[in-house]
Amino acid sequence: MKSIFLTLSAAVCCSVLLGDEEGPANYSLWPRRPAELAQARRLMAEGKNSEAAYLLRPYWSAEGIVGREARQLTGLINVPRYLSRQHPHAFLYTVKRGDNIARVARNTKCLQELIMLLNGIVDPSRLMVGQKLVAVPMNQRLELHVAHLEASVWDGDILVADYAIEGLEGIGSKGKNEVTALKSCECLVGGATARVVGTGKAAVDRSLVLSSGCVLAAEHRGGRTVRLKQRDLNELALLLAPGAEVCLVRDEEAYAEERAARQAQQAQDASDEVDEAEEVSEE
């Protein structure tokens, strides 16, 4: 009897960790599992993503299987929004005389590839004056949690995406947290770096190079490498702009304190700006 229970428990663990896309997870063997996770899955199946996201948010910081599933489900909700016209901060840009895809990207501070994706552009050389293009701001940051083997994308305090890290090469899990930035995204053709970076080509595989010299890639590239699935890397390349903050998190407790302090400072700065604006209006 004990062996049967252990076998069934292992099967449920595997289905949760790997993601059961065929239907809702079986929660019958998890009496202490939050009911909100099962309810969120049902809401997502009904297309009620906003309600599902509301239920999932309290579990973003949870440890173990519960937290990982909540973060992964949140990614299934938010990534399509952030890579579509339903982006919460999407805006319109009118093409001007002399504009090309690179200039539009600079003016909107949006990736060329993402502009193409959002507007269904196949040939970026055929922009027309007066054409309305949807663009989105690129304010996301990346956290690489080496102890948990997770990579998460954040927009302020909103979790956008969460990916499993397949492996680490030359990166220790002990020590201080390391803050760096995204230096560039490399385009890969047949696994080799191709000279198409920055040309607006969206349908190519990507790897990400950090300012610290670390590389996010599907295969070990030599030196410090964070390995992720290629499809996840391709999504990251559309969610992050060059210069985006990247933090290699080794000490979770210290990082949580640092983030809380930073958010408090940002809130204080925003409050000070409002106070200054009110003082000016009164004068």
Side-chain angles (χ1 to χ4, degrees):
M1 184 68 182
K2 182 178 180 181
S3 62
I4 294 175
F5 178 78
L6 291 175
T7 301
L8 291 174
S9 298
V12 172
C13 286
C14 290
S15 67
V16 171
L17 288 173
L18 296 177
D20 183 4
E21 298 181 357
E22 300 298 325
N26 180 2
Y27 294 92
S28 60
L29 297 179
W30 295 90
R32 296 183 181 179
R33 195 179 195 82
E36 287 83 355
L37 295 184
Q39 187 177 354
R41 283 182 176 269
R42 288 193 293 270
L43 289 170
M44 290 170 65
E46 297 170 4
K48 300 177 180 178
N49 287 341
S50 296
E51 296 177 36
Y54 178 80
L55 292 177
L56 293 169
R57 182 163 184 164
Y59 298 98
W60 289 350
S61 59
E63 297 182 355
I65 293 175
V66 170
R68 175 162 291 192
E69 183 176 359
R71 292 187 290 272
Q72 290 177 345
L73 289 176
T74 299
L76 292 177
I77 294 172
N78 283 340
V79 170
R81 290 177 63 225
Y82 272 72
L83 297 182
S84 73
R85 291 168 175 253
Q86 280 69 51
H87 189 290
H89 307 299
F91 61 93
L92 286 176
Y93 175 84
T94 302
V95 177
K96 302 176 179 62
R97 187 177 301 278
D99 274 350
N100 53 32
I101 192 69
R103 183 170 295 175
V104 171
R106 286 196 300 271
N107 291 342
T108 61
K109 298 182 179 179
C110 183
L111 292 175
Q112 297 180 36
E113 294 83 354
L114 188 51
I115 292 173
M116 292 176 62
L117 177 66
L118 294 174
N119 297 279
I121 297 174
V122 177
D123 184 355
S125 66
R126 302 185 65 178
L127 296 181
M128 297 182 294
V129 175
Q131 183 177 354
K132 302 289 186 181
L133 298 178
V134 176
V136 298
M138 305 291 293
N139 300 318
Q140 292 83 249
R141 71 178 188 278
L142 176 64
E143 297 176 358
L144 301 171
H145 298 268
V146 296
H148 299 161
L149 292 179
E150 285 186 70
S152 54
V153 178
W154 292 81
D155 180 7
D157 62 348
I158 300 297
L159 177 64
V160 177
D162 189 81
Y163 306 103
I165 294 176
E166 300 287 296
L168 300 168
E169 310 290 347
I171 298 175
S173 60
K174 304 295 184 181
K176 295 182 179 180
N177 298 327
E178 180 181 345
V179 178
T180 181
L182 176 62
K183 181 179 180 181
S184 63
C185 291
E186 294 181 340
C187 297
L188 305 175
V189 177
T193 302
R195 295 183 179 179
V196 292
V197 178
T199 60
K201 294 183 180 295
V204 291
D205 287 338
R206 304 281 173 151
S207 63
L208 285 69
V209 181
L210 306 184
S211 298
S212 62
C214 181
V215 178
L216 279 61
E219 299 178 352
H220 185 208
R221 299 280 296 276
R224 306 173 71 202
T225 304
V226 178
R227 289 190 289 106
L228 293 95
K229 289 185 175 67
Q230 188 60 65
R231 65 183 182 186
D232 296 341
L233 289 165
N234 294 343
E235 278 189 2
L236 280 172
L238 291 173
L239 290 169
L240 300 171
E245 178 184 301
V246 180
C247 185
L248 199 63
V249 182
R250 296 185 176 92
D251 187 334
E252 294 287 343
E253 184 176 347
Y255 185 70
E257 293 176 356
E258 294 166 4
R259 186 168 61 181
R262 182 168 50 195
Q263 290 174 345
Q265 184 61 52
Q266 290 173 346
Q268 183 61 51
D269 292 343
S271 177
D272 291 343
E273 290 179 1
V274 171
D275 292 341
E276 291 176 2
E278 291 178 349
E279 291 176 1
V280 171
S281 63
E282 290 176 358
E283 293 176 358

